[in-house]
Amino acid sequence: GMIIGQMALSGVKPGRGLAVVLAAAALGLLWFAHANLNLVPDRVLQYGLPAALLVIAALAFNDIVADNPVARLLTRLGDASYAIYILHPFVLRGVAVSLGLALTRISPWAYVLACLIIICIVSYAAWRWFERPVTKALQGSRTS
């Protein structure tokens, strides 16, 4: 992860052709590991290596974010990923208590979709108006 982060910061990225190959290899490794769990007992090999290959492949497409609204949305969700990780159990519980019965009567998929949308909105708001300002303030106090 640190090496990939350094690659991103220094502008080192694979060409798009190589990125497609890396992404395909990552998906193939995930499929192989899932289909042969007894042959790949190590979680780093099962999930870590494919995840790293996908992230390296994604570096090749960083420049399309500015031109593509879907990519910008996904980038913002990536920015809010820690908030998603921290807040999703609480949001799930809140949705279950407040809307769960009504949504599951409509469709279980309506419940899942509502949970996903609400988690994304709440987590983005937490990132935008709490995590980001606090991080900037802490970084500013560290440099003083």
Side-chain angles (χ1 to χ4, degrees), residues 25-36:
L27 294 175
L29 287 170
L30 282 170
W31 173 81
F32 179 81
H34 182 71
N36 301 288

Side-chain angles (χ1 to χ4, degrees), residues 131-143:
E131 181 182 341
R132 191 169 80 162
V134 168
T135 300
K136 284 183 180 182
L138 291 172
Q139 287 173 340
S141 69
R142 187 177 56 196
T143 59

Side-chain angles (χ1 to χ4, degrees), residues 21-121:
V21 170
L22 290 173
L27 294 175
L29 287 170
L30 282 170
W31 173 81
F32 179 81
H34 182 71
N36 301 288
L37 286 176
N38 56 339
L39 296 177
V40 188
D42 185 23
R43 290 178 50 91
V44 171
L45 293 176
Q46 282 178 346
Y47 306 111
L49 179 61
L53 291 176
L54 283 174
V55 172
I56 292 169
L59 291 175
F61 300 96
N62 267 352
D63 57 336
I64 68 166
V65 171
D67 301 333
N68 186 319
V70 172
R72 281 196 306 271
L73 173 65
L74 293 175
T75 299
R76 291 295 160 245
L77 288 176
D79 292 340
S81 63
Y82 186 67
I84 291 170
Y85 169 72
I86 294 295
L87 295 175
H88 82 272
F90 304 105
V91 175
L92 285 173
R93 181 68 176 154
V95 172
V97 168
S98 61
L99 301 172
L101 184 59
L103 288 172
T104 53
R105 284 186 179 162
I106 296 170
S107 163
W109 291 108
Y111 176 73
V112 169
L113 183 61
C115 286
L116 287 171
I117 291 169
I118 294 169
I119 286 168
C120 289
I121 291 169

